[in-house]
Amino acid sequence: MPIYEYECRDCGHHVEKLQRMNAAPLSECPECHHSALQRMVSAPGFRLAGSGWYETDFKTSGKHNLASDSGAPATGKSND
C-alpha cells in the first residue's frame, strides 16, 4: 500500500496516510477539521536495485542504461 501525502489548504498542516490505491482521498484536516485536505504529488522513497532487477539499471561499471546511450527504445534484443 502506498503512503499518500496531504496538505490542508486552510491551515497548512501536513499529513501522511497509508491507504489502498483505490481508497477515496482524505478530505477533513485532523488539525483544523475543515474539508480542505489536498493530496500532494510526491516521489516514492525507494529505489529498485540489486540482483533480479533490470540488467541495465544502477550499474557501477562503464555500461549504463543502453536505451539512452543509443537513442533507441530498450527492447531487450541485441542489435549485433
Side-chain angles (χ1 to χ4, degrees), residues 4-7 13-15 19 25-26 37-40:
Y4 289 104
E5 186 177 355
Y6 293 89
E7 181 181 30
H13 183 71
H14 289 268
V15 179
Q19 292 180 287
L26 299 178
L37 278 185
Q38 181 176 9
R39 189 181 283 177
M40 306 296 290

Side-chain angles (χ1 to χ4, degrees), residues 4-66:
Y4 289 104
E5 186 177 355
Y6 293 89
E7 181 181 30
C8 180
R9 291 176 296 207
D10 289 348
C11 71
H13 183 71
H14 289 268
V15 179
E16 290 182 352
K17 181 71 174 173
L18 183 67
Q19 292 180 287
R20 293 183 184 269
M21 292 181 74
N22 61 353
L26 299 178
S27 60
E28 185 178 324
C29 176
E31 189 71 21
C32 69
H33 304 289
H34 293 150
S35 294
L37 278 185
Q38 181 176 9
R39 189 181 283 177
M40 306 296 290
V41 176
S42 57
F46 68 95
R47 182 178 95 167
L48 303 177
S51 63
W53 300 108
Y54 291 101
E55 182 179 339
T56 57
D57 290 345
F58 311 112
K59 292 279 189 179
T60 55
S61 66
K63 291 185 178 181
H64 294 288
N65 188 339
L66 299 177

